[in-house]
Amino acid sequence: MEVKRRAVKNLVTKLSSVSEQIRTEAICELRLISKNDSDSRPLIADAGAIPYLSESLYSSNKLSQENATATLHNLSISNKDLLMSTRGLLDALSHALRNPSSPFVAQCAAATIFSLLTAETYRPIIGHKRDILFGLIDIIKNPNSDSRTVKDALKALFGIALYPLNRAQIIELGAVPPLFSLLCNDGRVGILEDVTAVIAQIAGCDESWEAFRRISGVGVLVDLLDSSTGSSSRTKENAVSALLNLVQCGGGETVNSIRGTVLGAVDGIIEVAENGTEKGRSKAMALLKILDASSCTFQEEQMDYLSNHSL
């Protein structure tokens, strides 16, 4: 271990060199070490590499930016606290998201953010960084973004949305239209599952109903529950979760507004209630209960109206 420590220390020392070539070569070696030897990751972090790697995300050198971003991702697996305590790290990741020298840089930056978000403590901090949210949303807006980058951006948005107070800001910054655009137009493997997972999370706030209403989002979610669409089980469970969160946060007015549309998907909801995962079954049953209660109330209101306005 001492030999590893000295080797790592030597490489980290080179990160402060005035020679760009020496710095880049050291970053490339640190990336390989952090990828292939998990025991070396804390050694790299403890040796003071993170500030230099963070600074390298601003580099115009493609090789340097790519390898620095990949190394930070590797280090984030087991050294989240050191990364988050590094001054300017989140700003550097935001820069890499929005100014990548290659798609690989954006992917690694998004993956690093998602890795940091697995620690619940950091969700409100990262969610407060509007530039990170803008960067992630820009990725899913861009039709030229490759699948892996989109998936990592969606995972990062999902992690941010796990903190309830972040959801309104995600909606405010314009995430809903591109999310539903992906849902309707992107057939790449795994994208539908990931995008519906994000939609289900952000549906859980007061601002979601108006944002979903503007782009007819409820109808899209209902269509996913139709057996003819061939949606996966996970996609259907996410659609149910989104509808449940929507009506729970929107209250009676929202339920009344979407009741007719959602009742058209009752068979799909029942399918999830009968064949889904334990969590999926529970949410489907809760949604059916709300719809049933609202239907009874609606029928009672109709009867009262007719009795009070009879000729």
Side-chain angles (χ1 to χ4, degrees):
M1 185 63 75
E2 188 57 36
V3 174
K4 286 183 183 180
R5 194 185 308 277
R6 285 199 301 270
V8 163
K9 187 66 177 177
N10 182 49
L11 288 172
V12 172
T13 300
K14 292 180 180 180
L15 296 179
S16 61
S17 172
V18 294
S19 167
E20 183 179 26
Q21 181 178 346
I22 291 175
R23 294 197 305 271
T24 302
E25 288 174 353
I27 292 171
C28 291
E29 287 190 56
L30 287 170
R31 176 193 174 184
L32 287 175
I33 293 171
S34 64
K35 177 183 178 180
N36 298 320
D37 183 5
S38 59
D39 291 338
S40 291
R41 292 170 190 161
L43 301 181
I44 295 170
D46 291 339
I50 296 173
Y52 293 109
L53 294 169
S54 178
E55 184 179 339
S56 297
L57 299 192
Y58 294 97
S59 175
S60 58
N61 183 316
K62 177 183 175 183
L63 190 61
S64 179
Q65 194 188 42
E66 285 184 341
N67 282 275
T69 318
T71 305
L72 285 171
H73 178 229
N74 294 337
L75 296 181
S76 71
I77 296 169
S78 54
N79 299 274
K80 293 175 178 57
D81 292 343
L82 278 175
L83 263 74
M84 286 297 294
S85 63
T86 299
R87 185 185 180 92
L89 173 82
L90 293 179
D91 292 333
L93 287 171
S94 171
H95 178 83
L97 275 179
R98 307 193 74 181
N99 303 277
S101 58
S102 70
F104 180 73
V105 170
Q107 181 210 327
C108 284
T112 303
I113 292 165
F114 174 65
S115 176
L116 295 172
L117 287 162
T118 58
E120 188 175 345
T121 310
Y122 299 136
R123 291 171 190 166
I125 299 170
I126 294 172
H128 190 65
K129 291 286 186 178
R130 292 169 69 92
D131 280 350
I132 285 180
L133 292 175
F134 274 126
L136 295 170
I137 293 169
D138 283 345
I139 288 172
I140 65 173
K141 276 183 179 178
N142 186 350
N144 296 318
S145 296
D146 62 67
S147 295
R148 291 188 64 182
T149 305
V150 170
K151 284 178 68 66
D152 282 322
L154 288 170
K155 288 176 181 177
L157 283 171
F158 176 81
I160 292 170
L162 286 174
Y163 182 65
L165 296 182
N166 288 337
R167 295 167 188 167
Q169 182 163 231
I170 294 173
I171 292 173
E172 177 192 333
L173 297 182
V176 172
L179 284 169
F180 275 93
S181 179
L182 270 181
L183 193 54
C184 295
N185 303 313
D186 199 309
R188 289 176 289 185
V189 176
I191 297 292
L192 288 183
E193 287 83 354
D194 289 337
V195 73
T196 50
V198 178
I199 289 171
Q201 286 299 317
I202 64 173
C205 68
D206 294 341
E207 294 77 6
S208 61
W209 163 236
E210 181 60 24
F212 282 38
R213 185 191 63 77
R214 287 176 189 158
I215 46 94
S216 303
V218 171
V220 175
L221 294 170
V222 166
D223 285 344
L224 292 175
L225 292 166
D226 191 319
S227 59
S228 65
T229 61
S231 300
S232 69
S233 298
R234 183 182 162 207
T235 296
K236 289 180 178 179
E237 289 197 13
N238 288 339
V240 166
S241 179
L243 292 169
L244 177 61
N245 285 340
L246 201 62
V247 297
Q248 285 180 331
C249 290
E253 183 180 345
T254 300
V255 175
N256 291 336
S257 298
I258 70 175
R259 181 198 301 111
T261 304
V262 177
L263 285 175
V266 164
D267 288 345
I269 300 171
I270 291 174
E271 180 189 343
V272 174
E274 292 177 345
N275 303 313
T277 62
E278 183 178 352
K279 184 181 290 187
R281 292 197 302 271
S282 174
K283 291 186 176 183
M285 290 300 294
L287 180 58
L288 288 169
K289 186 175 181 180
I290 292 172
L291 293 174
D292 183 57
S294 67
S295 294
C296 292
T297 302
F298 180 64
Q299 290 170 3
E300 290 172 1
E301 289 172 351
Q302 282 186 312
M303 293 299 293
D304 288 343
Y305 178 85
L306 290 173
S307 63
N308 291 331
H309 293 79
S310 57
L311 296 176

